[in-house]
Amino acid sequence: MGRVKKGKVTERSLYTPMVKVFERHGGKGISEISYKSVPDLIVEWLGEKWIVSVKIGDPLKRAKLVIDAILQYQDHVRDTGIEYGMIVFFPEEVRKISPYDQDALENFVETAPTYVLVMNPSMEIRDSFSNVLYEIRKAIEKNIPTTFPLSTVLAVLKEHVMSIMDSIKLTETEITRIITNEELFFGISGKAKKEEVFRFLATYIFLSQVLFLRLYSVEHPTITKGVDLRKVDKKTAQTLFDRILEINYKPIFELNVLEVIPEQYVEDTFKLIWGLKVEKIRYELPGRLFHELMPEKIRKLLAAFYTRPIAADLLAQLTIEDENATVFDPACGSGTILTAAYKRKLELWKKKGKRGDPHKKFCEQQIYGADIMPFSVHLAGANLAAMNPGITINKVQIALGDSLKLSPDTRIKPGYRSIMEFVNVRKGGQQNQAKAFEVNGAAYNILLPHMDVVLMNPPFTKIERGIKRYVDLERFRDVVGGEVGLWGHFIALADVFLKEGGTFGGVIPISILRGRETKKVRELVFTKWLPLYIIKSTINYGFSEWSEYRDVLIIAKKVDPKKRPKNHKVKFCLIKKNLNKLTEEDVKRIAETIKKEERYRSSDLDIDAHTLEEIERHFENLMVFISGATLDGKDALVNIISKANKKLLKFPEGYFKEGYRFSGGSSNILTITRNIGEGRTDQAFLILRKETPNEIVASTSAGVAEFRMKREHFVPALRTPVGLDTMDITGKHDYMAKESYEHFDEIVKLSGYKGKTDKKFWESVRRAIERNSTNTVMTRRINPFSPNQKLVAFYSEEKIVPADQLKIITEENPKRAKAMVVLMNSIFFLANFFNSKEETTGRFVDIRGPDLYSMRLYPPEEYVENLVKVFDKYKDKEFPALTKQISEEFEERYEQFWIAERKNQAVLEFAVIPYRPNKLRLEFDMDVAVALGIELSEDELLKAYKAIEADMIATRGLRRD
């Protein structure tokens, strides 16, 4: 019996099967040529010699594998002079095949999915190797323009950036050459690990210099004359940088970080930038490179939130309709929005068949920016220059300073200057003052005119974070109020700069649509301007990357309120596709649809238009027009609300008030929490263990010791609604001390409470008990996804004192109180809640007083008895978690949705797992409808449940991305 051959498949094992595939496509392998560096394969195909590099591994999981392959490939190009070539990655599964089983290897090479980087022509293809060759042939024979996808270029460069960062060592002197004001750069009151951030900045500056050199050299090849670009060391790189510096591009090349970049990474960076042929995506890279290449750990250190490039493109598409429009971004950052504006203007320029290149005109006369951060000003200027390095510009109109102090037609110093003018270098004991320079070093001033378009993603910084030291918050206080964040002041600034008929477009916190703090800003946008579009993303937090606060796009025109068109409608739009997966073509299609349609439904976009009259009726809370995951779902909720509105009334003024607010941790010494329901005692200090008619036994949460106390010292209370699953909570209450009790001093000491517990303290407690005792309460904050969120309102036969996690319903009539509890737990409340709730974070949602008073849920006398009967029927029924009430298979359907979404197949309808509501919830809501004399079909109810489910699924799945 012969011995079985053993071995492992290597890249070499695949050479012969690959040559056979080439032969079937008209090619042949070449073996008689030898080179200094030996490529895996050299083949003759389509009349040319081709380098074929072969790799085994998944490049999507190992970006370093791609970098190493590209660097090796560039060495082969240098040594062979061969122009055409590709890098072929086969999946790891090939190693399961015996290297001696030629038939299996040939079949695998022919049919297995491969990832191929065709280095010339530039293509990325995922397909079987045979199909890859077919696609390459088609592209060459039909002369189809090709390029590497932007995502691939960015992924490779990002991995390379992290490698360089890890190898850089910076001294304090070198750090001060990169940045001036640390506090401004890291965020107001923010702190970070300086060296890590500066390593990134140094790496980025170097990479952007090589990138600009590549873009410039394509238009001006003489810049690299006499230089061997196949092997660039530091000396060669400095020679090239000096050549451009001599021309006039000081903003990009005067800051010398080359000395801190390790020698090998200099050579590797040139190989990558030249090999990736970045000039083919020159319009896509500027404006997004800085934050796309920023590693996650640096983002966290800087708390850096940048405009998604796709959002900037959408803003530009919806606001710029004239190729000669003047555009201003007063918080321009690295220039993402300004470069998007440039692209849109260029698109319109070409569409109208205009001759010549408008680069100089755009940068020097029509695109303006400002930022308080010197480094951002540098980036924005450099990114605009990089939109067409072939045309030398003298200046760009980017100003450095506090934008809130700017005014139209006032000359200011611009910021397109040498970054060296910003650094914190001292000469003779005096700090250099920032100056204004043209790119060749000459000082100049710029004049900011009134603008056709103002675009922005203003800082969301809260005013209490010390921002007053840096910006003027007094100028627009009367316009926007004293509570709104910094972004509100920037909207007022936009009003100052906009021409009559000019257009505003901004990434704005979603809180602008509701609430007292933002009302004045809302009035500016919706009454002084003519609002056009309000756009929300349902799958992402919003249009700023990495943020956990929801935002919207606001687009409006500055129009004299007296000249606003009659019957004007504002379009509220939901983008239901992951913003990270939208293409530029998607954006153009979405923008055109938004402009044309008043009512629209599709898998990725919903639109509804509402008159200004409708908006005025809901002005305190405009979320009613855009909340939720789909507008069809909103229609289902509005249907439920409209039915209730015909039967029920608004609440009397003062019907709700807040529960008792414990201060300074006094809850720990005053309350004893009953352990009924999961999660109920998570935040409790004293937990009820047992009770008798005369005695209470409690222990601390650690459970070390038990304390026996007389019951007479306590009154029934409710510390938290968590875990309560019945509407009638009689006997399920917690306890609150009304006076000092046994072991009190010991418990105070254990709790760490530092406040006074004197006579005045207890008098205050007793007054609060008297003032806040009630039979009827409702929760103040809802976490729709929590397994402990079951019901909203509760009734107790004996008076209880609720804490401030609850609201008091000041209803003295027991029957009406029970009727209220039924209504506040019914679909009629839930429809109102989900139709108008705040969505700032998507987690705990406050039930605010103004929202309650806007609802019609107060029962006329004629329905009270019927609702009491419903209460009696369901008062002791144990309701499951709200998610399970709405959908029995909520968790499974949630997982199904997000798995599908990750595969780019997300829909809010589910085929695999059928929808099924909870029977108790369905029966309860139907009984409530009957009690009110409302005709409500089961189908209408199910549509409302599905709308709520879709909202909960989409919102719960929101992640920083």
Side-chain angles (χ1 to χ4, degrees):
M1 188 172 176
R3 295 175 62 188
V4 178
K5 292 183 177 180
K6 294 184 178 181
K8 184 178 181 181
V9 167
T10 64
E11 283 83 356
R12 184 174 293 276
S13 309
L14 306 177
Y15 294 174
T16 299
M18 290 179 72
V19 170
K20 288 185 178 182
V21 176
F22 268 108
E23 289 172 349
R24 286 196 284 276
H25 285 262
K28 68 176 182 177
I30 302 174
S31 58
E32 66 272 14
I33 301 175
S34 61
Y35 301 102
K36 182 179 178 181
S37 65
V38 183
D40 296 337
L41 287 174
I42 300 291
V43 298
E44 279 189 1
W45 183 50
L46 303 178
E48 301 286 349
K49 289 187 176 69
W50 289 71
I51 297 172
V52 182
S53 293
V54 185
K55 304 295 176 187
I56 296 175
D58 186 352
L60 298 179
K61 295 180 180 178
R62 296 169 57 200
K64 186 68 164 57
L65 187 66
V66 178
I67 292 175
D68 292 343
I70 293 174
L71 295 176
Q72 186 186 63
Y73 174 87
Q74 291 294 88
D75 286 339
H76 297 329
V77 172
R78 179 186 63 197
D79 294 337
T80 65
I82 294 174
E83 183 179 355
Y84 290 89
M86 66 185 76
I87 305 170
V88 185
F89 296 87
F90 285 96
E92 287 283 354
E93 284 77 6
V94 70
R95 298 196 191 276
K96 298 177 182 178
I97 301 173
S98 167
Y100 306 105
D101 189 342
Q102 287 300 305
D103 290 340
L105 285 175
E106 288 179 20
N107 180 66
F108 188 90
V109 167
E110 177 81 27
T111 62
T114 59
Y115 171 76
V116 180
L117 284 177
V118 188
M119 301 304 291
N120 187 26
S122 304
M123 299 173 70
E124 178 188 83
I125 309 174
R126 291 177 173 84
D127 209 332
S128 67
F129 186 53
S130 183
N131 286 346
V132 166
L133 298 186
Y134 172 77
E135 291 295 326
I136 297 171
R137 176 193 287 272
K138 182 173 70 173
I140 291 176
E141 292 180 347
K142 295 186 177 182
N143 200 27
I144 299 172
T146 61
T147 183
F148 292 128
L150 179 63
S151 58
T152 298
V153 174
L154 291 172
V156 169
L157 293 180
K158 186 171 183 176
E159 182 71 23
H160 187 57
V161 162
M162 289 191 285
S163 295
I164 297 177
M165 281 177 58
D166 290 341
S167 65
I168 287 178
K169 305 295 182 192
L170 285 172
T171 66
E172 192 70 27
T173 301
E174 288 163 337
I175 286 175
T176 59
R177 293 175 56 231
I178 297 174
I179 193 168
T180 29
N181 193 321
E182 292 176 21
E183 192 172 29
L184 279 177
F185 192 83
F186 291 119
I188 305 304
S189 77
K191 292 183 178 180
K193 298 177 181 177
K194 289 190 299 184
E195 190 177 340
E196 282 196 66
V197 175
F198 294 146
R199 284 205 302 266
F200 166 69
L201 296 180
T203 303
Y204 174 79
I205 291 168
F206 167 65
L207 189 67
S208 66
Q209 290 169 341
V210 179
L211 175 68
F212 190 90
L213 177 65
R214 172 60 178 173
L215 297 176
Y216 188 88
S217 68
V218 171
E219 300 291 334
H220 301 282
T222 55
I223 198 72
T224 58
K225 186 177 179 180
V227 174
D228 184 1
L229 292 169
R230 296 173 300 178
K231 190 171 180 64
V232 178
D233 55 16
K234 280 190 180 184
K235 184 177 179 181
T236 307
Q238 190 63 62
T239 299
L240 292 170
F241 291 174
D242 288 344
R243 287 180 183 180
I244 291 194
L245 189 59
E246 286 171 10
I247 297 171
N248 63 8
Y249 280 104
K250 285 188 176 183
I252 300 171
F253 289 94
E254 192 169 32
L255 186 61
N256 184 1
V257 297
L258 190 59
E259 59 193 63
V260 303
I261 308 296
E263 189 79 54
Q264 184 59 50
Y265 284 108
V266 173
E267 179 180 342
D268 289 351
T269 302
F270 273 81
K271 285 181 185 177
L272 284 175
I273 295 295
W274 258 253
L276 291 169
K277 297 183 176 64
V278 293
E279 66 276 7
K280 293 187 176 184
I281 49 175
R282 70 173 188 179
Y283 293 121
E284 286 75 19
L285 274 176
R288 68 184 296 169
L289 196 65
F290 179 62
H291 51 99
E292 290 277 4
L293 298 189
M294 187 180 291
E296 182 177 345
K297 62 181 178 180
I298 303 300
R299 288 180 185 270
K300 289 180 178 179
L301 289 174
L302 292 178
F305 307 131
Y306 297 97
T307 310
R308 297 177 191 273
I310 213 73
D313 289 342
L314 185 55
L315 274 178
Q317 289 287 329
L318 290 170
T319 56
I320 302 173
E321 300 296 345
D322 182 348
E323 72 280 6
N324 285 314
T326 51
V327 182
F328 178 41
D329 180 355
C332 65
S334 63
T336 301
I337 290 177
L338 291 181
T339 54
Y342 182 108
K343 287 194 298 179
R344 171 62 173 165
K345 283 163 62 68
L346 184 62
E347 175 192 339
L348 293 170
W349 181 278
K350 292 178 178 178
K351 191 176 289 186
K352 293 187 179 180
K354 293 206 168 187
R355 295 182 179 180
D357 194 305
H359 179 69
K360 193 175 181 71
K361 185 176 186 179
F362 286 178
C363 293
E364 294 186 355
Q365 300 174 29
Q366 295 179 350
I367 295 178
Y368 298 82
D371 203 280
I372 200 170
M373 237 304 293
F375 193 78
S376 295
V377 171
H378 162 74
L379 291 180
N383 283 326
L384 279 174
M387 296 302 283
N388 190 347
I391 295 179
T392 301
I393 56 176
N394 294 319
K395 57 187 177 183
V396 292
Q397 312 281 19
I398 310 294
L400 171 66
D402 176 8
S403 299
L404 295 179
K405 292 180 179 177
L406 300 179
S407 296
D409 303 324
T410 301
R411 290 196 175 275
I412 61 168
K413 292 182 177 181
Y416 190 45
R417 62 195 77 175
S418 164
I419 196 171
M420 289 300 291
E421 293 298 323
F422 306 147
V423 298
N424 190 15
V425 180
R426 294 181 177 272
K427 293 182 179 178
Q430 296 294 319
Q431 182 175 330
N432 289 347
Q433 297 298 311
K435 299 176 183 178
F437 287 93
E438 295 183 358
V439 283
N440 62 6
Y444 78 109
N445 293 326
I446 62 175
L447 186 68
L448 289 176
H450 282 86
M451 303 290 174
D452 297 310
V453 180
V454 175
L455 303 176
M456 62 172 70
N457 184 352
F460 291 6
T461 312
K462 294 181 179 180
I463 58 173
E464 60 265 24
R465 290 188 177 172
I467 192 69
K468 292 180 181 179
R469 286 178 290 163
Y470 301 96
V471 299
D472 181 5
L473 291 179
E474 295 303 316
R475 180 182 180 187
F476 299 113
R477 176 181 286 273
D478 291 342
V479 179
V480 301
E483 297 177 277
V484 72
L486 194 54
W487 59 270
H489 296 256
F490 274 83
I491 290 180
L493 179 72
D495 185 57
V496 170
F497 271 94
L498 275 173
K499 293 178 180 176
E500 187 71 20
T503 305
F504 170 85
V507 181
I508 305 298
I510 200 169
S511 59
I512 191 177
L513 297 178
R514 55 169 288 147
R516 173 181 52 79
E517 296 90 345
T518 63
K519 185 175 182 179
K520 283 196 169 186
V521 186
R522 192 160 61 250
E523 286 173 345
L524 190 160
V525 173
F526 285 89
T527 62
K528 188 172 182 180
W529 293 349
L530 185 71
L532 302 177
Y533 321 120
I534 314 296
I535 305 168
K536 186 184 85 170
S537 169
T538 62
I539 303 300
N540 309 87
Y541 269 109
F543 299 95
S544 299
E545 295 178 323
W546 285 80
S547 174
E548 287 186 300
Y549 294 92
R550 303 204 76 168
D551 57 41
V552 290
L553 299 186
I554 304 276
I555 292 91
K557 277 192 175 295
K558 183 176 180 178
V559 177
D560 185 336
K562 296 177 183 178
K563 298 179 181 178
R564 297 207 294 187
K566 291 183 178 179
N567 301 319
H568 172 74
K569 292 184 177 180
V570 183
K571 297 179 183 180
F572 290 83
C573 316
L574 298 180
I575 296 177
K576 302 187 293 184
K577 186 175 181 179
N578 191 326
L579 297 176
N580 296 320
K581 296 177 182 177
L582 291 179
T583 65
E584 287 195 12
E585 289 307 311
D586 289 333
V587 167
K588 289 179 181 178
R589 173 180 52 80
I590 287 171
E592 287 306 309
T593 304
I594 289 173
K595 292 173 188 176
K596 291 177 182 178
E597 303 292 339
E598 286 195 354
R599 191 180 192 281
Y600 184 81
R601 301 289 188 271
S602 73
S603 61
D604 59 4
L605 178 67
D606 285 356
I607 304 171
D608 271 345
H610 297 275
T611 65
L612 291 173
E613 186 180 357
E614 290 178 87
I615 288 170
E616 188 176 350
R617 288 201 301 268
H618 296 277
F619 196 73
E620 296 301 319
N621 187 352
L622 300 183
M623 289 302 299
V624 298
F625 298 112
I626 204 170
S627 63
T630 71
L631 292 182
D632 277 341
K634 175 170 285 298
D635 291 340
L637 296 181
V638 169
N639 175 55
I640 297 291
I641 294 167
S642 64
K643 288 177 181 290
N645 287 351
K646 294 174 183 177
K647 298 286 186 176
L648 302 172
L649 307 172
K650 287 194 172 183
F651 297 111
E653 199 63 38
Y655 199 63
F656 302 95
K657 67 178 187 178
E658 302 301 314
Y660 177 64
R661 184 181 183 88
F662 295 94
S663 60
S666 61
S667 172
N668 288 342
I669 62 172
L670 289 177
T671 62
I672 300 174
T673 305
R674 188 181 297 269
N675 190 6
I676 48 169
E678 187 179 351
R680 204 154 187 283
T681 60
D682 286 351
Q683 304 298 319
F685 180 69
L686 290 176
I687 300 170
L688 182 68
R689 297 305 179 188
K690 53 189 173 182
E691 61 182 326
T692 69
N694 299 316
E695 190 177 57
I696 293 173
V697 180
S699 71
T700 62
S701 53
V704 176
E706 287 190 346
F707 302 97
R708 294 181 177 274
M709 293 148 313
K710 291 181 180 179
R711 191 166 180 165
E712 63 190 38
H713 302 307
F714 297 86
V715 295
L718 202 61
R719 189 186 68 84
T720 174
V722 169
L724 295 178
D725 59 3
T726 61
M727 289 187 284
D728 190 333
I729 58 169
T730 304
K732 297 182 179 180
H733 54 76
D734 305 315
Y735 284 101
M736 177 176 173
K738 63 180 180 180
E739 58 198 15
S740 183
Y741 53 85
E742 293 78 11
H743 309 289
F744 179 70
D745 291 341
E746 185 179 353
I747 288 171
V748 168
K749 187 176 181 179
L750 288 171
S751 73
Y753 179 69
K754 302 299 183 183
K756 292 183 178 180
T757 56
D758 55 12
K759 182 179 179 181
K760 286 185 178 180
F761 171 81
W762 288 113
E763 286 175 352
S764 172
V765 168
R766 284 190 285 272
R767 284 196 301 270
I769 290 172
E770 184 177 347
R771 186 172 60 247
N772 293 307
S773 292
T774 183
N775 296 96
T776 319
V777 296
M778 66 175 293
T779 186
R780 182 175 65 85
R781 304 178 77 199
I782 291 180
N783 181 354
F785 328 116
S786 170
N788 301 319
Q789 181 67 63
K790 300 175 181 181
L791 292 169
V792 174
F794 309 93
Y795 179 80
S796 171
E797 291 289 351
E798 55 185 324
K799 295 276 187 181
I800 54 176
V801 181
D804 63 349
Q805 289 191 39
L806 299 114
K807 286 183 180 290
I808 297 168
I809 301 177
T810 60
E811 179 57 66
E812 296 298 326
N813 184 310
K815 288 187 176 181
R816 188 180 291 278
K818 293 174 182 178
M820 279 303 311
V821 168
V822 167
L823 287 172
M824 299 305 281
N825 283 310
S826 74
I827 186 60
F828 299 108
F829 169 77
L830 292 177
N832 273 281
F833 171 76
F834 280 94
N835 188 53
S836 62
K837 65 181 172 66
E838 64 174 357
E839 295 184 4
T840 306
T841 64
R843 296 188 177 91
F844 279 100
V845 183
D846 281 341
I847 304 175
R848 299 183 184 273
D851 296 338
L852 286 171
Y853 289 113
S854 69
M855 299 176 186
R856 298 180 67 92
L857 289 171
Y858 185 76
E861 189 61 38
E862 60 190 285
Y863 301 120
V864 170
E865 286 291 346
N866 290 343
L867 291 169
V868 171
K869 290 177 183 177
V870 176
F871 178 84
D872 290 338
K873 178 178 177 180
Y874 291 95
K875 66 176 184 177
D876 296 321
K877 300 282 188 183
E878 295 179 356
F879 283 77
L882 181 59
T883 52
K884 199 170 183 65
Q885 291 176 44
I886 296 300
S887 173
E888 282 282 9
E889 281 77 32
F890 176 84
E891 293 296 334
E892 293 83 355
R893 285 162 63 84
Y894 170 84
E895 289 296 328
Q896 185 191 49
F897 172 82
W898 284 102
I899 289 171
E901 200 285 325
R902 284 189 285 271
K903 294 180 180 177
N904 205 24
Q905 301 168 349
V907 289
L908 287 168
E909 293 295 328
F910 300 84
V912 179
I913 302 174
Y915 174 76
R916 185 166 61 98
N918 178 266
K919 288 182 179 180
L920 177 60
R921 162 56 64 181
L922 184 61
E923 181 185 352
F924 171 68
D925 282 332
M926 291 300 290
D927 282 351
V928 177
V930 171
L932 293 171
I934 291 176
E935 292 187 11
L936 180 64
S937 69
E938 186 172 311
D939 183 59
E940 289 174 301
L941 201 48
L942 293 183
K943 285 180 179 178
Y945 291 165
K946 288 181 181 179
I948 293 172
E949 182 200 41
D951 187 335
M952 292 196 293
I953 284 174
T955 307
R956 178 182 169 185
L958 293 175
R959 297 287 186 273
R960 290 180 61 174
D961 52 1

